[in-house]
Every structure is written in structure tokens, then in C-alpha cells.
Amino acid sequence: METQRENTPISVIVPTYNTGKYLERCMDSLMAQTLLWMEIIVIDDCSDDDIQSVVAPYLGRCDKIVRYERLEQHQGPGGARNKGIELASGTYIAFCDSDDWVDITYFEDCVNQMEQSGADIGMCSLVRSYDYTQKTPLYKCKYDRELTLTGEYALKVLTKQIDVGILIIPSTVNKIYQRDYLDRIHLRFAEDKMFEDLLFSFLSMMHAEKIICIPNVAYHHYKRPNSIVQSFDRKHIDDFVEIFSLLRRELETAGQFERYRFHYYKFLEQFYNLIVREIFEFVPDEAVRKGYLAYSFQKIKAVINFDEYMEYTTAEQLRQHIQPHITNTTIY
């Protein structure tokens, strides 16, 4: 296995669950890559549709190594990615969701930049795509030139503590990782949980010595109807709380919580606000909305220490939570 890993530049892990009708477009994108020698690992997370039949035409191709593995039980994207990492032979690891695609030179540029820089993590632009044609691309993050960051600095950008003219998003699909780095810090995904990228991205950046921005190639994220990020139920709240409980536990176990407490609360606040926005966007019934909000208020106590939070936040930030519609505080 070690000999094969030395000879395989990158393993691209493609978890799939009931997305067979999109997988062909994703696979065509990967097979068309200008980087000829690469490994593509499709992890079937107990799909109801026939994923193996979609993958079959790509097996045995001489220009790419394609592997297919079906899990014995549903484990969610995190569990599927972990299985892919276990099977991977590449020097670098990347993830591609089964309904997404990448620019044709994406992985060649990524591997070249990672080899030249010796970075632990590489980050690329991510553009959101829809079923309709867009006049201008909608970038969730965009990198126009090469940049090198320390992990500590990247974590501050990720948690929105500083504004330096670039965005770093917690998604793992627009990133490439040194396989040996992930093994060295013993990092894997939380399984059968939503928001698994949040935990993985926070910890991977916290430990990294060098992170680079790779310009001029993009990962295309397809926002399809009825995906798990366009619906809402209690599992969203439960998993959010579980992920941040795991993050706090990891930081405390490593003796790093005091050092990264501000990062933790900034990150938590950012994505709790997302939970609230999702409730209002995807839950039309007023009574059900109130029920979800009340449930979230109860559950959030598990990951917020009020005394700690009061030290971290400012009076103005608290006012904005209470009176977000008021911008002028002058009393007439």
C-alpha cells in the first residue's frame, strides 16, 4: 500500500447517496481531468438507486484508477469519506460530492501547487451552480492569486475574526489535503452527522503549519432541489449541538480550549445564526417555527457557557441580537 501511495498523486473520494442521476456528470468531470494518474474512489452509502451500474463503465479505464465500494450500513457523508480515506492510496486526499464537478485542470493545478509549496492544505475557489443559467458566476469563495497562510491565520479568517479580503469556507470539497498530515493529526470526519465539515475544517486548520490558496481553478457546487441543506428538521439542531460538543471536547482534551475559546464562540455563533435562518427559510408554519426555535434554545445550552460567552461578546453585539432591526440608537 505504501508503495502505491508514493506513485499515486491524489485520491478523490466521491461519497454518494441516492444521487445516481447526477453521478455520471461528476464522473465525467473527474475522468476528463488533465492530471492523468489519479485515483477515484466512489463510496456508495447504501443508496436505493443502482450506483454500481453508473460506475461500471468507468472501471478498468487505463487513464484513471476507479474504485467502487458499497457500505454495509448508511453512515452519512462523514462515514463515507472516512471509508474513502481508509482505502485511498494517494499522496493527497480530495473530496468531491456526487452531484458536483470541477474545472478540467483542477487536480493537476492542485497537485502541482501542493508539491511546490509543501503545504498541509490547499484551497480553491468554489462557485455555486443551479439548474438555470447564471449571467455571472456566484462564488462562495474566490482566489485570484497564490497566497500562503499559517493555519492559525487561516482559522481566524474561517471564524470571521478578521477581514483580509478573502473568504475561507468550512466546506472540505474545495480543498486538498496531505494524506500524511491527516494521519499525523489523527483527523477523520464525524459519522452520521450533518455539519461534519465544520469540525473537520476547524481542527485541520488549527493544526496546519502551511495553507495555500490555489488560483484560477474552481470547484462547482450544484445546489440541487430537496438536498439536505434545503430542508429542516430536529436532526439539524441535534447534529449542530453534537458537532460543537465534539469540537469543545477535542479542544479541552488537547488543553487548547482557553487558547481557541474566542475562535470556538465566533464559529458557533456564525452557524447557530445559520440554523435560525434555515428555520425561517424552510419551515413555513408559524407554530412549527416557534417549536424549532424553542427546541434550539434548550439544546444550545449544552455548547454555550453563558459566563464565557459574556466575556467573549460585546454589549453592541448583544444589542444587535435583541434589536437587529434598529441601526440608529439615538433617543429623540
Side-chain angles (χ1 to χ4, degrees), residues 148-177:
T148 301
L149 310 172
T150 63
E152 181 84 17
Y153 196 77
L155 187 60
K156 288 182 178 180
V157 179
L158 173 72
T159 55
K160 298 190 184 305
Q161 295 182 51
I162 53 177
D163 182 357
V164 292
I166 64 167
L167 291 177
I168 297 178
I169 60 175
S171 175
T172 55
V173 292
N174 69 320
K175 298 176 180 67
I176 179 172
Y177 301 87

Side-chain angles (χ1 to χ4, degrees), residues 5 26 29 50 106 149 160 218 266 269 278 310 321:
R5 185 182 301 174
C26 174
S29 166
D50 188 1
Y106 185 89
L149 310 172
K160 298 190 184 305
K266 283 289 285 185
E269 184 180 75
E278 286 181 339
M310 290 299 290
H321 284 301

Side-chain angles (χ1 to χ4, degrees), residues 170-189:
S171 175
T172 55
V173 292
N174 69 320
K175 298 176 180 67
I176 179 172
Y177 301 87
Q178 282 263 13
R179 167 62 185 265
D180 289 344
Y181 169 65
L182 296 182
D183 289 345
R184 188 167 66 250
I185 65 174
H186 308 291
L187 184 59
R188 295 295 185 267
F189 289 91

Side-chain angles (χ1 to χ4, degrees), residues 39-196:
E39 180 180 53
I40 302 161
I41 305 174
V42 179
I43 305 295
D44 183 351
D45 192 19
C46 295
S47 298
D48 297 322
D49 47 1
D50 188 1
I51 298 297
Q52 189 168 11
S53 293
V54 179
V55 177
Y58 302 96
L59 300 175
R61 294 268 292 269
C62 61
D63 50 345
K64 302 286 189 298
I65 301 170
V66 179
R67 303 176 65 179
Y68 168 82
E69 181 87 9
R70 181 177 170 87
L71 301 181
E72 293 183 359
Q73 61 183 27
H74 182 64
Q75 297 180 21
R81 289 171 180 165
N82 287 344
K83 182 62 176 179
I85 295 172
E86 176 189 323
L87 296 173
S89 62
T91 301
Y92 304 103
I93 298 287
F95 306 100
C96 185
D97 286 349
S98 55
D99 47 0
D100 296 341
W101 62 96
V102 292
D103 285 349
I104 195 166
T105 64
Y106 185 89
F107 288 114
E108 182 177 15
D109 289 354
C110 284
V111 168
N112 287 342
Q113 292 290 335
M114 291 292 282
E115 288 181 340
Q116 290 173 21
S117 68
D120 299 310
I121 304 170
M123 307 185 298
C124 298
S125 302
L126 185 145
V127 62
R128 178 162 283 176
S129 298
Y130 298 85
D131 284 325
Y132 53 87
T133 302
Q134 298 162 263
K135 291 183 179 179
T136 57
L138 175 60
Y139 284 93
K140 298 296 289 182
C141 61
K142 186 177 183 181
Y143 307 122
D144 292 323
R145 61 190 182 95
E146 298 176 24
L147 295 170
T148 301
L149 310 172
T150 63
E152 181 84 17
Y153 196 77
L155 187 60
K156 288 182 178 180
V157 179
L158 173 72
T159 55
K160 298 190 184 305
Q161 295 182 51
I162 53 177
D163 182 357
V164 292
I166 64 167
L167 291 177
I168 297 178
I169 60 175
S171 175
T172 55
V173 292
N174 69 320
K175 298 176 180 67
I176 179 172
Y177 301 87
Q178 282 263 13
R179 167 62 185 265
D180 289 344
Y181 169 65
L182 296 182
D183 289 345
R184 188 167 66 250
I185 65 174
H186 308 291
L187 184 59
R188 295 295 185 267
F189 289 91
E191 300 189 356
D192 196 27
K193 294 286 183 291
M194 299 177 184
F195 307 108
E196 75 285 346

